Structure formats: C-alpha cells, structure tokens
Amino acid sequence: MSSIKIIDDSYKHPLLELQQIASENELAFDHLQFARLMDEKDPLRHLRNEFHYPKMSEILQTDPDLVDAQEDCIYFCGNSLGLCPKKTKEYMDVELDKWAKRGVQGHTTGELPWAWCDEVLEADMAKIVGCTQEEVSIMNGLTVNLHLLLISFYRPSKDRYKILCEDKAFPSDHYTFESQARLHGFNPQDVMICLKPREGEFILRLEDILDVIEKKGEEIAVVCFSGVQYYTGQLFDIPSITKAGQAKGCYVGWDLAHAVGNVPLHLHDWQVDFACWCTYKYLNAGAGCLAGLFLHEKHRLHDFPRLMGWWGHNLTTRFKMDNNMEVYPGARGYRLSNTPGLLCPSLKASLEVFNKTSLEQLRQKSLLLTAYLEHLIKESYQRPEGKSPEEDSEAIYIDVFTPSDPRQRGAQLSLAFNVCIEQLFKELEKRGVICDKRLPRVIRITPVPMYCSFEDVHRFMGCLKDALIAAKSSLSHVDVTKV
C-alpha cells in the first residue's frame, strides 16, 4: 500500500489530498474505515511505539462506564506536555547507576558525561531549529533564557526603547518584558506595544504587524513574538517579521515554546537574532526539562552586556580558576551553571526519536491530521451563517480560533464553544480525552503527528459529540462574545 504523499503546503491545501484519497477509495471522511486507511498509509505510524501511550485505566477522571479500560486514551495535549519516550527510563537509570557506582567520576565518564552532557545533544537540537551547533545551547528554563537574552538585546536608548509583542503573549513572556522595562527605569506601559487582532477577529494579520514595524520601527528596540501563539495556535511568519524588524534597526527574537518540534525552523537562514524554547511540549523531554537558546553566529563575538557564570567559561581553561573569564563564543557563552546531568537523559531519548524522521515528514503528516480534524469539526459544528447566537440559541457550534490556512498553524487547533468549557472539559475527561483549556473559552486540541493517529481523531469526534450533549444538558450556553 502506498504511503502518504509528501505535499507542498505552499501551493496545495492538505484537505485536497484527503479528499482525493477518500474519493479514490469511495469512503466518507466520517467513516472509521477512512481513518484506518489513512493510518495504514502513514509512513510514521511506527513512531507511536517509541512512546508510552497512556491507557484509559491509567489516567484520572475517566468514567469506567464510558470507556474501555484497556484502550489507549486520546492524548491531544502534546502542546502542553509531550508523551514519555520509552527509552527515557533506561537512560535515566544509566545515569543513576553511574552516580551510585562512580560518584564524582560521572562528570567525565559515560555517554552523557555530566560536565558536558548538554554539548553531546547540541547537534541534534541544532537540526530541529535549523542552525549550526555553535548557535545553540541547552540550559536553564525558557524564561531564564529569555531574560538572559534580553539583557543583551534590550538596551534601550532615549529614542529607541519600546518592545513590540502580542497583546496575548504567554504570561511569562509578558512578565519578562515588564520586568526588563522596569530594570531600565521605564514604565512598562510606555515600553510595551502589545498588538491586538482587529475587532471581531482572533488572530493577528501579518500586514498589521508589518505596518506597526514600518511606522514605529525607529522607536522599537526589540521585536519579540511567539513562533506559534499559545492561545490561538497561530504560526507567525518568522522570516518576514524578522526581516522587517531588522530593516528598521530592531533586534528580533522569538519564543519558540510551541513551535520547536512542531514546525520546521530555519533560524540561521532566517537571520533571527535570538530565540529560546522549552523542551517538554513537542520535544517530549519531560516536565520542566532543560530549555534551549539560540544566538545567531553574527553575534557570536558581540560585546553586549550579559550575565556571566562559570559554565560560560571555555572548558579548556575553566579549571585554571584564575577568575579571568574566557567566554565561549556563541550560545554556550550564555551558560551560567553546570548542566543538571539527570535532565539530559530524557532529552536524549526524545531527540533519538526525532532522528528517525524529519521535521518535514512530521509537518506533512501534521497538516493532514489537522486538516482532517478541522474538516470534521466544521462539517458538524460550524456556526450557521447569517444567524446570531440569540437567533440560534439551541444549536451547538464551535468556532476555530486557529487560522484556516495550514501555512499559518502547527498541530494545534484552538476550539471555542457556545457551551461552558469547564463542564465540557469534565465530560471529555470522563471519556478519556486528554486536552487542556485556556480561559475564557478555548479548549486546545493537538493531534501530535509523532504519536497520534487518524483513528485518534475519529474517536475524538465521537467523544466530543457525546460530551457536548452532556455538557449542554447540564449547563446553559455561555456568552460567546467574549474570547
């Protein structure tokens, strides 16, 4: 049987690929047989076996009367925490055993010597974000790395002191921008330009972002957006925004928490100044695992202000202990403290799975999975045209906040409902659906291509139908004018 065709999303909508396969096999989209056919054609289906996929009996809140205890749950929450690779425990045990048997000698022995275990993983991480090894470093947490980078790149002057960001930036990013402004003696309200979507819209238009950069660029010190917006799932045009910002003299950086491992990235070629990301979402390295930092090679020898620590000192002279800093060129120079040796094994386990495929292959499957899910949702729950919520108060409908253009989204669909999401979320949990909610009215559904299937999507639609009916019967509709 042939495999899924690698489509070029620059000119062909993935829905057309799905429609062609359905037509050729005389199957309807909502038939289980179609979902299973797509899984049979999936060249990446074996990757699911690389992960521990939770069973209904293992997760919390399920109703035993509604689920088969031995069946896989429906895990659509990789945008928040990726599943555990099966090799993780094995690699963790190796390091624990090394500690138990060798003590301090573990710093310089084994496949992951603790003194440079992060460096062992840099080349694989560089492939995922599209850069050279010297441009990437594995360290700290995402917000710590963003602060470290902004100390270098946010150097406000009397005329250029503003930060351009999203109005609904992830809270941690927003707090970082606020605190950086205060550190320089500014009122954050005077510093932060927080872009909002147009009235009645959910996502930012590229032309509006570029227009603000064009009009206010001389006042902007740093442009810093998320690669994929956490609430809406919008994938920003990283190269276009980067080019526009730099043309006006701004430094441009990116929080890639929801983009890394989700969509192909080419940070070096895009000339991005700096970026940072976590590794526990699409990179499956475990809750709170080490984060990543990118510094373009054009800045490798810069003399910008920075915080320094011993681990940013070149290893060849680090142990002279003479307090004469010989900073690593590039991203490693931003390291402060020694890398936690017990956090690298889980990241190693995940990166090995990524090495069994490519971001391009994952992207193509993701496009098809997400298009399949979106089509099924719109077929059943699209808001009737020309009718206000008041005129159609008995209907259940779903608004998709995520862009309909596949080129402007990753694996995530953000769904908004005209029923209470708190109750709906509980009903989904009862049926073994693992997803997450973001107030005021979004539930994020993410079929991660590395371990989710078309049959998972089909099963989800059945659970969603039952959950919506149950939620609607228990609580009244919500105010759908609030996003």
Side-chain angles (χ1 to χ4, degrees), residues 22 45 71 118 188 222 404 446 452:
R45 62 187 180 277
E71 191 175 27
D118 55 324
V222 169
S404 58
T446 307
C452 291

Side-chain angles (χ1 to χ4, degrees), residues 60-122:
L60 305 178
Q61 315 304 336
T62 54
D63 184 336
D65 293 330
L66 298 176
V67 302
D68 177 350
Q70 299 309 309
E71 191 175 27
D72 287 347
C73 78
I74 301 172
Y75 195 87
F76 282 175
C77 207
N79 56 290
S80 186
L81 182 68
L83 290 180
C84 178
K86 290 180 178 178
K87 285 285 188 178
T88 299
K89 187 177 185 302
E90 175 186 333
Y91 293 161
M92 291 286 288
D93 286 344
V94 169
E95 300 310 310
L96 289 171
D97 190 58
K98 184 170 65 174
W99 182 20
K101 294 180 178 178
R102 299 181 190 173
V104 72
Q105 293 178 336
H107 279 294
T108 56
T109 60
E111 291 187 13
L112 288 176
W114 304 328
W116 55 86
C117 53
D118 55 324
E119 298 175 17
V120 174
L121 305 176
E122 287 172 349

Side-chain angles (χ1 to χ4, degrees), residues 130-155:
C131 68
T132 67
Q133 183 172 345
E134 193 178 48
E135 292 175 308
V136 72
S137 186
I138 299 167
M139 60 187 193
N140 305 319
L142 187 158
T143 306
V144 175
N145 289 343
L146 182 57
H147 271 297
L148 292 174
L149 288 163
L150 286 176
I151 285 170
S152 288
F153 286 93
Y154 180 59
R155 292 172 289 127

Side-chain angles (χ1 to χ4, degrees), residues 181-243:
R182 290 192 180 98
L183 283 171
H184 289 278
F186 291 98
N187 183 334
Q189 293 182 346
D190 297 330
V191 166
M192 296 169 63
I193 303 174
C194 301
L195 291 189
K196 296 182 180 181
R198 296 184 186 185
E199 185 70 28
E201 297 183 359
F202 308 131
I203 62 173
L204 286 168
R205 296 191 186 189
L206 175 62
E207 60 263 35
D208 292 346
I209 298 172
L210 299 182
D211 183 60
V212 171
I213 292 174
E214 178 61 31
K215 290 178 178 177
K216 299 186 177 182
E218 285 80 7
E219 304 171 31
I220 298 171
V222 169
V223 177
C224 193
F225 284 84
S226 53
V228 172
Q229 217 284 334
Y230 84 96
Y231 187 73
T232 66
Q234 177 182 7
L235 169 61
F236 288 106
D237 187 337
I238 296 175
S240 295
I241 295 170
T242 299
K243 183 177 180 181

Side-chain angles (χ1 to χ4, degrees), residues 368-388:
L368 293 171
L369 269 176
T370 309
Y372 178 51
L373 173 61
E374 180 189 40
H375 180 77
L376 292 177
I377 289 170
K378 288 187 173 181
E379 282 290 295
S380 299
Y381 301 107
Q382 189 155 12
R383 186 200 296 251
E385 288 188 23
K387 287 191 177 182
S388 68

Side-chain angles (χ1 to χ4, degrees), residues 331-346:
R332 284 185 189 172
Y334 279 80
R335 296 184 304 186
L336 300 178
S337 302
N338 58 311
T339 306
L342 294 180
L343 290 183
C344 283
S346 61

Side-chain angles (χ1 to χ4, degrees), residues 5-50:
K5 182 181 178 182
I6 301 299
I7 58 173
D8 182 347
D9 65 335
S10 66
Y11 69 88
K12 185 175 182 180
H13 196 293
L15 183 59
L16 298 177
E17 180 80 3
L18 293 168
Q19 289 172 334
Q20 180 180 346
I21 295 172
S23 176
E24 290 174 352
N25 291 275
E26 299 181 343
L27 292 171
F29 268 36
D30 59 354
H31 284 185
L32 177 59
Q33 293 91 330
F34 177 71
R36 288 177 172 170
L37 174 67
M38 292 302 300
D39 287 332
E40 289 174 13
K41 289 175 171 288
D42 177 15
L44 303 182
R45 62 187 180 277
H46 62 286
L47 294 180
R48 184 177 179 124
N49 297 325
E50 300 287 338

